[in-house]
Amino acid sequence: MITYPFLKKRATIGVTAPSSGVEEELHELVKLSCSRLEERGYSIICGDTVWTQDKAKSSPAKKRAQEFNEMMKEETINLILPPWGGELLIEILEELDFDNMNNKWVLGYSDTSMLLLAITLKTGIATAHGTNLIDLRGEFSDDTTAMWESVLSTKTGLSITQFSSEKYQQMWQHDNPSPCVFHLTEETKWKTVSGEKVKAKGRLLGGCIDIIRHLIGTPFGDLQNFRENHIHEEPIMWYFENCDLITTDLRRSLVQMKLAGWFEDCSCIMFGRSSANESVENYTIEDVYQDLSDELQIPIIYDIDCGHVPPQITFVNGAFGVVEVEDGKGTIVQYFKE
Protein backbone atom coordinates (compact mmCIF):
# COMPACT_ATOMS: atom_id res chain seq x y z
CA MET A 1 0.00 0.00 0.00
CA ILE A 2 1.20 3.51 -0.87
CA THR A 3 0.27 6.46 1.33
CA TYR A 4 -0.11 9.79 -0.47
CA PRO A 5 0.36 13.13 1.29
CA PHE A 6 -1.89 16.03 0.27
CA LEU A 7 -0.78 19.64 -0.21
CA LYS A 8 -3.27 21.90 1.51
CA LYS A 9 -4.07 25.44 0.47
CA ARG A 10 -2.07 28.00 2.42
CA ALA A 11 0.12 25.18 3.71
CA THR A 12 3.24 25.60 5.80
CA ILE A 13 6.45 24.64 3.99
CA GLY A 14 9.52 23.54 5.90
CA VAL A 15 12.84 24.42 4.28
CA THR A 16 15.78 22.34 5.46
CA ALA A 17 19.10 21.32 3.91
CA PRO A 18 19.64 17.55 4.28
CA SER A 19 22.52 17.81 1.80
CA SER A 20 23.99 21.20 0.83
CA GLY A 21 23.08 24.48 2.45
CA VAL A 22 23.43 27.89 0.85
CA GLU A 23 26.56 30.04 0.99
CA GLU A 24 26.13 33.51 2.45
CA GLU A 25 26.55 35.27 -0.89
CA LEU A 26 23.53 33.34 -2.23
CA HIS A 27 21.20 33.81 0.75
CA GLU A 28 19.18 36.32 -1.26
CA LEU A 29 18.13 33.50 -3.60
CA VAL A 30 16.58 31.62 -0.69
CA LYS A 31 14.87 34.74 0.63
CA LEU A 32 13.48 35.55 -2.82
CA SER A 33 12.21 32.00 -3.31
CA CYS A 34 10.52 32.06 0.08
CA SER A 35 8.89 35.42 -0.63
CA ARG A 36 7.54 34.11 -3.95
CA LEU A 37 5.90 31.20 -2.12
CA GLU A 38 4.54 33.53 0.54
CA GLU A 39 2.98 35.60 -2.23
CA ARG A 40 1.15 32.42 -3.24
CA GLY A 41 -0.28 32.02 0.25
CA TYR A 42 2.20 29.63 1.84
CA SER A 43 3.87 30.04 5.21
CA ILE A 44 7.59 29.27 5.35
CA ILE A 45 9.72 27.88 8.17
CA CYS A 46 13.47 27.83 7.41
CA GLY A 47 15.77 25.62 9.45
CA ASP A 48 19.26 26.59 10.56
CA THR A 49 20.92 24.21 8.10
CA VAL A 50 19.72 26.24 5.12
CA TRP A 51 22.07 29.14 5.86
CA THR A 52 25.40 27.34 6.25
CA GLN A 53 27.70 25.38 3.94
CA ASP A 54 31.15 23.93 4.62
CA LYS A 55 33.07 20.85 3.52
CA ALA A 56 30.44 19.91 0.88
CA LYS A 57 27.54 19.82 3.35
CA SER A 58 25.24 22.22 5.17
CA SER A 59 26.23 20.89 8.59
CA PRO A 60 27.25 17.63 10.30
CA ALA A 61 25.10 14.60 9.50
CA LYS A 62 23.48 14.39 12.94
CA LYS A 63 22.36 18.03 12.80
CA ARG A 64 20.96 17.65 9.28
CA ALA A 65 19.10 14.48 10.27
CA GLN A 66 17.78 16.00 13.49
CA GLU A 67 16.36 19.03 11.71
CA PHE A 68 14.75 16.87 9.03
CA ASN A 69 13.29 14.49 11.65
CA GLU A 70 11.87 17.42 13.58
CA MET A 71 10.23 18.88 10.47
CA MET A 72 8.76 15.48 9.59
CA LYS A 73 7.23 15.25 13.06
CA GLU A 74 6.01 18.86 13.20
CA GLU A 75 2.31 18.58 12.44
CA THR A 76 1.96 22.16 11.17
CA ILE A 77 4.44 21.52 8.34
CA ASN A 78 2.75 20.07 5.26
CA LEU A 79 5.63 20.00 2.76
CA ILE A 80 9.42 19.78 3.12
CA LEU A 81 11.34 21.52 0.34
CA PRO A 82 15.17 21.62 0.41
CA PRO A 83 16.88 24.62 -1.19
CA TRP A 84 18.65 22.29 -3.64
CA GLY A 85 20.64 19.07 -3.79
CA GLY A 86 24.33 18.60 -3.06
CA GLU A 87 26.74 15.74 -2.54
CA LEU A 88 26.59 14.00 0.84
CA LEU A 89 22.97 13.36 1.75
CA ILE A 90 23.87 9.68 2.12
CA GLU A 91 25.53 10.52 5.46
CA ILE A 92 22.18 11.19 7.16
CA LEU A 93 20.26 8.03 6.19
CA GLU A 94 21.19 5.99 9.26
CA GLU A 95 20.13 8.90 11.50
CA LEU A 96 16.63 9.28 10.04
CA ASP A 97 13.58 8.17 12.02
CA PHE A 98 11.77 6.22 9.30
CA ASP A 99 9.45 4.59 11.85
CA ASN A 100 7.90 7.90 12.92
CA MET A 101 7.56 9.86 9.70
CA ASN A 102 4.30 11.74 9.29
CA ASN A 103 2.45 11.66 6.00
CA LYS A 104 3.73 14.80 4.28
CA TRP A 105 5.36 15.63 0.97
CA VAL A 106 9.10 15.87 0.46
CA LEU A 107 9.93 17.50 -2.89
CA GLY A 108 13.20 17.96 -4.75
CA TYR A 109 15.77 16.38 -7.05
CA SER A 110 19.51 15.77 -7.47
CA ASP A 111 21.04 14.58 -4.17
CA THR A 112 17.58 14.91 -2.60
CA SER A 113 16.41 12.04 -4.80
CA MET A 114 18.25 9.61 -2.52
CA LEU A 115 16.15 10.81 0.41
CA LEU A 116 12.96 10.59 -1.64
CA LEU A 117 13.57 7.04 -2.83
CA ALA A 118 14.69 5.82 0.60
CA ILE A 119 11.53 7.21 2.25
CA THR A 120 9.20 5.59 -0.28
CA LEU A 121 11.00 2.23 -0.24
CA LYS A 122 11.18 2.11 3.57
CA THR A 123 7.76 3.51 4.48
CA GLY A 124 5.47 3.38 1.47
CA ILE A 125 4.92 7.15 1.74
CA ALA A 126 4.89 8.74 -1.72
CA THR A 127 7.55 11.37 -2.41
CA ALA A 128 7.86 13.91 -5.21
CA HIS A 129 10.79 14.25 -7.62
CA GLY A 130 10.61 17.72 -9.11
CA THR A 131 11.59 21.32 -8.57
CA ASN A 132 13.69 22.51 -5.66
CA LEU A 133 13.16 25.71 -3.70
CA ILE A 134 15.77 27.84 -5.47
CA ASP A 135 14.14 27.26 -8.87
CA LEU A 136 10.88 28.79 -7.61
CA ARG A 137 12.38 32.26 -7.24
CA GLY A 138 11.04 33.58 -10.55
CA GLU A 139 8.18 35.98 -11.11
CA PHE A 140 6.36 32.97 -12.53
CA SER A 141 7.09 29.33 -13.37
CA ASP A 142 6.99 27.72 -16.79
CA ASP A 143 4.01 25.43 -17.41
CA THR A 144 5.96 22.23 -16.73
CA THR A 145 7.56 23.33 -13.46
CA ALA A 146 4.33 24.93 -12.23
CA MET A 147 2.59 21.54 -12.18
CA TRP A 148 4.25 20.69 -8.84
CA GLU A 149 1.36 22.31 -6.96
CA SER A 150 -1.32 20.47 -8.91
CA VAL A 151 0.48 17.14 -8.54
CA LEU A 152 0.96 17.53 -4.80
CA SER A 153 -2.69 18.62 -4.44
CA THR A 154 -4.04 15.45 -6.06
CA LYS A 155 -6.20 13.38 -3.72
CA THR A 156 -5.72 9.68 -3.12
CA GLY A 157 -7.68 7.69 -5.70
CA LEU A 158 -7.53 10.41 -8.34
CA SER A 159 -5.07 11.03 -11.19
CA ILE A 160 -3.05 13.89 -12.63
CA THR A 161 -1.82 14.29 -16.21
CA GLN A 162 1.36 16.05 -17.30
CA PHE A 163 2.72 16.67 -20.78
CA SER A 164 6.18 17.01 -22.23
CA SER A 165 7.43 20.58 -22.28
CA GLU A 166 7.43 22.69 -25.43
CA LYS A 167 11.04 23.82 -24.95
CA TYR A 168 13.92 23.13 -22.59
CA GLN A 169 16.98 24.99 -21.32
CA GLN A 170 20.25 24.11 -22.99
CA MET A 171 22.50 25.98 -20.58
CA TRP A 172 22.32 28.04 -17.40
CA GLN A 173 22.68 31.80 -17.78
CA HIS A 174 23.09 33.05 -14.22
CA ASP A 175 24.33 36.44 -15.47
CA ASN A 176 21.13 36.90 -17.48
CA PRO A 177 18.19 36.50 -15.08
CA SER A 178 14.87 35.36 -16.53
CA PRO A 179 11.40 36.12 -15.09
CA CYS A 180 10.75 32.35 -15.01
CA VAL A 181 14.34 31.44 -13.95
CA PHE A 182 14.97 29.15 -16.93
CA HIS A 183 15.89 30.13 -20.50
CA LEU A 184 13.75 27.72 -22.51
CA THR A 185 15.15 27.89 -26.04
CA GLU A 186 15.47 24.34 -27.43
CA GLU A 187 12.64 22.24 -28.80
CA THR A 188 11.76 19.31 -26.53
CA LYS A 189 11.61 15.91 -28.16
CA TRP A 190 11.03 12.73 -26.20
CA LYS A 191 12.63 9.75 -27.93
CA THR A 192 12.37 5.98 -27.86
CA VAL A 193 15.08 3.44 -28.66
CA SER A 194 12.70 1.67 -31.02
CA GLY A 195 11.82 4.92 -32.77
CA GLU A 196 8.20 3.87 -32.50
CA LYS A 197 5.25 4.82 -30.33
CA VAL A 198 5.54 3.56 -26.76
CA LYS A 199 2.91 3.06 -24.08
CA ALA A 200 3.91 1.57 -20.73
CA LYS A 201 2.63 1.45 -17.18
CA GLY A 202 3.85 0.61 -13.71
CA ARG A 203 4.68 1.96 -10.28
CA LEU A 204 7.01 4.93 -10.62
CA LEU A 205 10.39 4.98 -8.90
CA GLY A 206 13.55 6.88 -9.74
CA GLY A 207 15.88 9.78 -9.25
CA CYS A 208 19.41 10.91 -10.06
CA ILE A 209 21.23 7.72 -11.01
CA ASP A 210 24.59 9.08 -9.81
CA ILE A 211 23.09 9.18 -6.31
CA ILE A 212 20.47 6.47 -5.93
CA ARG A 213 22.78 3.72 -7.20
CA HIS A 214 24.51 3.97 -3.82
CA LEU A 215 21.37 2.62 -2.12
CA ILE A 216 21.98 -0.79 -3.70
CA GLY A 217 22.82 -3.38 -1.04
CA THR A 218 21.78 -1.13 1.85
CA PRO A 219 18.67 -1.30 4.07
CA PHE A 220 17.47 1.85 2.29
CA GLY A 221 17.34 0.24 -1.17
CA ASP A 222 15.32 -2.91 -0.44
CA LEU A 223 13.30 -3.23 -3.64
CA GLN A 224 12.03 -6.72 -2.85
CA ASN A 225 10.47 -5.67 0.43
CA PHE A 226 8.87 -2.69 -1.30
CA ARG A 227 7.43 -4.92 -4.04
CA GLU A 228 5.99 -7.42 -1.59
CA ASN A 229 4.65 -5.06 1.06
CA HIS A 230 3.69 -1.87 -0.75
CA ILE A 231 2.83 -2.44 -4.43
CA HIS A 232 1.51 -6.00 -4.54
CA GLU A 233 4.18 -7.18 -6.99
CA GLU A 234 3.05 -4.70 -9.67
CA PRO A 235 5.63 -3.80 -12.35
CA ILE A 236 7.99 -0.90 -11.75
CA MET A 237 8.55 1.90 -14.24
CA TRP A 238 11.87 3.64 -13.57
CA TYR A 239 12.75 7.25 -14.36
CA PHE A 240 16.41 8.28 -14.16
CA GLU A 241 18.49 11.34 -14.81
CA ASN A 242 22.26 11.55 -15.15
CA CYS A 243 24.05 14.52 -13.62
CA ASP A 244 27.74 13.75 -14.06
CA LEU A 245 28.37 10.24 -15.40
CA ILE A 246 30.25 9.44 -18.60
CA THR A 247 28.73 6.68 -20.70
CA THR A 248 30.82 3.83 -19.31
CA ASP A 249 30.07 4.80 -15.71
CA LEU A 250 26.38 5.04 -16.53
CA ARG A 251 26.57 1.63 -18.18
CA ARG A 252 28.29 0.13 -15.13
CA SER A 253 25.61 1.60 -12.88
CA LEU A 254 22.79 0.16 -14.98
CA VAL A 255 24.40 -3.28 -15.07
CA GLN A 256 24.83 -3.14 -11.30
CA MET A 257 21.14 -2.30 -10.90
CA LYS A 258 20.24 -5.22 -13.14
CA LEU A 259 22.47 -7.62 -11.19
CA ALA A 260 20.98 -6.36 -7.91
CA GLY A 261 17.47 -7.19 -9.14
CA TRP A 262 16.30 -3.61 -9.52
CA PHE A 263 15.02 -4.28 -13.04
CA GLU A 264 13.03 -7.41 -12.24
CA ASP A 265 9.35 -6.92 -13.17
CA CYS A 266 10.29 -3.65 -14.87
CA SER A 267 7.92 -2.41 -17.57
CA CYS A 268 9.87 0.58 -18.91
CA ILE A 269 12.86 2.82 -18.17
CA MET A 270 12.86 6.56 -18.85
CA PHE A 271 15.93 8.81 -18.94
CA GLY A 272 16.03 12.58 -18.59
CA ARG A 273 18.02 14.91 -20.77
CA SER A 274 21.62 15.29 -19.61
CA SER A 275 24.56 17.58 -20.21
CA ALA A 276 26.81 14.70 -19.08
CA ASN A 277 26.59 11.46 -21.13
CA GLU A 278 30.10 12.02 -22.48
CA SER A 279 31.11 9.27 -24.91
CA VAL A 280 34.07 7.01 -24.13
CA GLU A 281 35.94 6.07 -27.31
CA ASN A 282 32.92 5.62 -29.58
CA TYR A 283 30.56 4.28 -26.91
CA THR A 284 27.73 6.81 -27.05
CA ILE A 285 24.71 7.39 -24.85
CA GLU A 286 22.54 5.93 -27.61
CA ASP A 287 24.65 2.77 -27.38
CA VAL A 288 23.97 2.62 -23.63
CA TYR A 289 20.24 2.86 -24.21
CA GLN A 290 20.33 0.29 -27.03
CA ASP A 291 22.29 -2.19 -24.92
CA LEU A 292 19.78 -1.83 -22.08
CA SER A 293 16.88 -2.31 -24.48
CA ASP A 294 18.45 -5.42 -25.97
CA GLU A 295 19.11 -6.95 -22.54
CA LEU A 296 15.82 -6.19 -20.83
CA GLN A 297 13.52 -6.32 -23.85
CA ILE A 298 11.44 -3.42 -22.54
CA PRO A 299 10.77 0.08 -23.88
CA ILE A 300 13.50 2.66 -23.25
CA ILE A 301 12.45 6.31 -23.44
CA TYR A 302 14.96 9.15 -23.26
CA ASP A 303 15.38 12.92 -23.27
CA ILE A 304 12.33 13.30 -21.06
CA ASP A 305 11.70 16.31 -18.80
CA CYS A 306 13.56 15.16 -15.71
CA GLY A 307 16.61 16.41 -13.86
CA HIS A 308 19.38 18.94 -14.28
CA VAL A 309 18.37 20.09 -17.79
CA PRO A 310 15.08 21.85 -16.95
CA PRO A 311 12.17 22.08 -16.94
CA GLN A 312 11.04 18.92 -15.26
CA ILE A 313 7.89 16.97 -14.71
CA THR A 314 6.93 16.17 -11.12
CA PHE A 315 7.23 12.39 -10.73
CA VAL A 316 5.67 10.75 -7.67
CA ASN A 317 7.55 7.77 -6.29
CA GLY A 318 4.99 5.06 -5.61
CA ALA A 319 2.25 6.36 -7.91
CA PHE A 320 0.93 4.16 -10.71
CA GLY A 321 2.06 5.76 -13.94
CA VAL A 322 1.03 5.44 -17.56
CA VAL A 323 3.44 6.97 -20.08
CA GLU A 324 2.85 7.45 -23.80
CA VAL A 325 5.38 8.75 -26.31
CA GLU A 326 4.65 9.43 -29.97
CA ASP A 327 6.15 11.81 -32.53
CA GLY A 328 8.43 13.42 -29.96
CA LYS A 329 5.62 14.24 -27.53
CA GLY A 330 5.08 12.61 -24.17
CA THR A 331 2.23 12.24 -21.71
CA ILE A 332 2.49 10.89 -18.18
CA VAL A 333 -0.63 10.13 -16.14
CA GLN A 334 -0.07 9.38 -12.46
CA TYR A 335 -2.77 7.56 -10.54
CA PHE A 336 -2.65 7.99 -6.77
CA LYS A 337 -3.53 4.38 -6.31
CA GLU A 338 -3.03 2.74 -2.93
Side-chain angles (χ1 to χ4, degrees):
M1 177 176 174
I2 301 295
T3 304
Y4 297 92
F6 177 77
L7 181 65
K8 305 169 187 174
K9 290 184 178 179
R10 307 188 72 81
T12 296
I13 298 174
V15 182
T16 183
S19 183
S20 285
V22 181
E23 298 89 343
E24 187 172 357
E25 58 267 26
L26 298 177
H27 282 182
E28 286 304 314
L29 297 182
V30 177
K31 294 174 183 177
L32 180 56
S33 301
C34 290
S35 68
R36 296 295 189 196
L37 288 168
E38 288 170 342
E39 290 169 6
R40 300 182 67 83
Y42 296 102
S43 298
I44 310 294
I45 296 175
C46 280
D48 294 339
T49 61
V50 174
W51 309 107
T52 55
Q53 175 71 5
D54 186 42
K55 297 188 183 297
K57 62 191 82 172
S58 65
S59 58
K62 287 186 181 296
K63 181 175 181 179
R64 284 179 280 152
Q66 180 182 6
E67 189 171 273
F68 182 81
N69 286 334
E70 288 173 353
M71 285 195 177
M72 284 298 283
K73 291 174 183 175
E74 175 54 58
E75 293 185 1
T76 60
I77 292 177
N78 191 221
L79 161 66
I80 294 179
L81 182 56
W84 47 27
E87 301 288 347
L88 294 174
L89 187 141
I90 195 170
E91 294 180 337
I92 75 169
L93 292 181
E94 59 188 342
E95 304 290 341
L96 297 181
D97 188 3
F98 289 96
D99 293 332
N100 293 292
M101 287 188 173
N102 284 333
N103 183 32
K104 63 183 68 179
W105 285 113
V106 185
L107 169 66
Y109 76 107
S110 193
D111 207 27
T112 305
S113 66
M114 173 177 280
L115 176 63
L116 304 176
L117 186 57
I119 289 173
T120 299
L121 293 182
K122 289 279 286 184
T123 70
I125 298 173
T127 52
H129 186 278
T131 187
N132 58 34
L133 174 75
I134 293 294
D135 290 341
L136 296 177
R137 67 186 185 275
E139 296 174 24
F140 62 91
S141 291
D142 63 274
D143 292 344
T144 305
T145 303
M147 283 296 292
W148 73 270
E149 286 182 283
S150 297
V151 174
L152 272 54
S153 301
T154 301
K155 294 181 178 179
T156 301
L158 300 182
S159 66
I160 182 80
T161 301
Q162 297 174 85
F163 302 96
S164 55
S165 65
E166 293 294 324
K167 294 182 182 296
Y168 71 91
Q169 173 177 281
Q170 187 173 37
M171 64 181 65
W172 292 94
Q173 300 178 40
H174 296 298
D175 57 348
N176 179 24
S178 161
C180 74
V181 179
F182 306 131
H183 294 81
L184 305 175
T185 60
E186 311 302 309
E187 183 181 358
T188 297
K189 186 174 183 181
W190 288 22
K191 302 168 185 174
T192 64
V193 166
S194 67
E196 300 174 353
K197 177 183 178 181
V198 164
K199 181 176 182 179
K201 57 187 178 181
R203 292 284 184 167
L204 288 160
L205 291 175
C208 180
I209 196 166
D210 318 34
I211 307 302
I212 64 172
R213 60 180 177 167
H214 296 295
L215 293 178
I216 293 172
T218 74
F220 312 102
D222 191 344
L223 261 292
Q224 190 55 41
N225 178 71
F226 177 76
R227 289 192 184 99
E228 293 173 357
N229 294 308
H230 293 295
I231 60 169
H232 322 295
E233 303 286 359
E234 289 178 292
I236 290 173
M237 187 159 61
W238 287 100
Y239 63 90
F240 296 128
E241 63 111 352
N242 173 18
C243 180
D244 290 320
L245 306 184
I246 59 176
T247 55
T248 47
D249 199 358
L250 177 61
R251 172 64 175 156
R252 283 193 296 269
S253 301
L254 291 165
V255 172
Q256 183 184 8
M257 288 176 170
K258 180 186 71 170
L259 297 176
W262 278 35
F263 296 152
E264 293 175 8
D265 300 318
C266 177
S267 60
C268 175
I269 300 177
M270 301 178 279
F271 292 89
R273 295 178 294 263
S274 175
S275 58
N277 292 340
E278 180 183 343
S279 298
V280 177
E281 296 179 0
N282 63 338
Y283 190 55
T284 68
I285 188 60
E286 290 79 14
D287 293 328
V288 175
Y289 298 150
Q290 185 66 60
D291 285 345
L292 194 63
S293 176
D294 293 343
E295 287 173 351
L296 301 180
Q297 293 294 300
I298 59 173
I300 306 296
I301 301 167
Y302 61 101
D303 287 357
I304 71 167
D305 296 290
C306 178
H308 288 77
V309 182
Q312 55 182 316
I313 280 171
T314 303
F315 285 99
V316 174
N317 288 319
F320 188 86
V322 178
V323 63
E324 292 190 64
V325 180
E326 185 175 16
D327 297 330
K329 303 294 184 183
T331 304
I332 177 78
V333 185
Q334 297 181 94
Y335 296 85
F336 283 24
K337 171 186 174 184
E338 294 180 325

